[in-house]
Amino acid sequence: MYPSGAGLAPGQPGADDYWMEKALEQAEQAAQVGEVPVGAVLVAADGTCLAASHNAPIGLHDPTAHAEIRALRAAGERLENYRLPGVTLYVTLEPCSMCAGAMIHARLARVVFGASDPRTGAAGGALELFGHPAHNHRIDVTGGVLGDVAGERLRRFFRARRDK
């Protein structure tokens, strides 16, 4: 959960694909242990990877152990701050309302997601929480980055579970 090194800084050409690939690697780790394959990576403005995680609610017996929440917690501990201004979160699936709320409270600068989630997504899929007028912080949201890849991994995971 505490990766080292740096990559492309958010905003640089190719950065969104680069970091989404890292999030997809996390999603694959989740699938390997029987969790829904969702991965997340938090990146500072200078391109430093602050945290990376994957879904773990089944293994941790914790309904809040979504990839995004786990990454936010790890980055907060690493930076010794619950606010993460200037930070971009890359996640393979459109965030749910719980995760969106946590991102707003963390004061993230940007969220980049892969696959849309029309059933529970809170970035325009089922709801739109990031732009809700009641919130005093706005997060720039970009969806669909490597969305076909992320969506296919999710479909493959659920197909395999149904076939068992």
Side-chain angles (χ1 to χ4, degrees):
M1 287 233 291
Y2 297 100
S4 60
L8 294 173
Q12 286 185 309
D16 286 353
D17 286 353
Y18 174 84
W19 290 112
M20 189 60 71
E21 286 286 349
K22 302 296 183 195
L24 286 163
E25 290 171 11
Q26 290 292 315
E28 189 59 35
Q29 289 181 31
Q32 289 174 5
V33 295
E35 298 279 356
V36 175
V38 177
V41 177
L42 275 165
V43 182
D46 68 358
T48 301
C49 184
L50 299 173
S53 193
H54 59 76
N55 267 10
I58 298 166
L60 294 178
H61 312 291
D62 179 356
T64 70
H66 289 196
E68 302 98 304
I69 299 295
R70 295 179 71 214
L72 287 167
R73 286 177 180 155
E77 286 179 24
R78 181 174 178 176
L79 297 176
E80 298 181 347
N81 195 342
Y82 72 107
R83 297 286 168 93
L84 304 171
V87 173
T88 298
L89 185 139
Y90 293 88
V91 61
T92 58
L93 180 64
E94 180 181 350
C96 71
S97 58
M98 173 184 69
C99 294
M103 292 171 201
I104 292 165
H105 287 291
R107 303 294 194 261
L108 295 183
R110 187 168 175 239
V111 172
V112 179
F113 68 87
S116 295
D117 186 351
R119 297 181 71 196
T120 63
L127 306 166
E128 173 48 73
L129 292 183
F130 290 104
H132 195 280
H135 296 131
N136 64 349
H137 178 72
R138 297 289 178 264
I139 297 175
D140 182 35
V141 178
T142 302
V145 175
L146 301 181
D148 292 342
V149 176
E152 181 52 37
R153 287 188 183 184
L154 285 159
R155 285 186 292 277
R156 185 174 61 226
F157 174 82
F158 286 113
R159 252 192 319 267
R161 286 183 80 176
R162 282 191 302 271
D163 292 345
K164 285 185 178 182

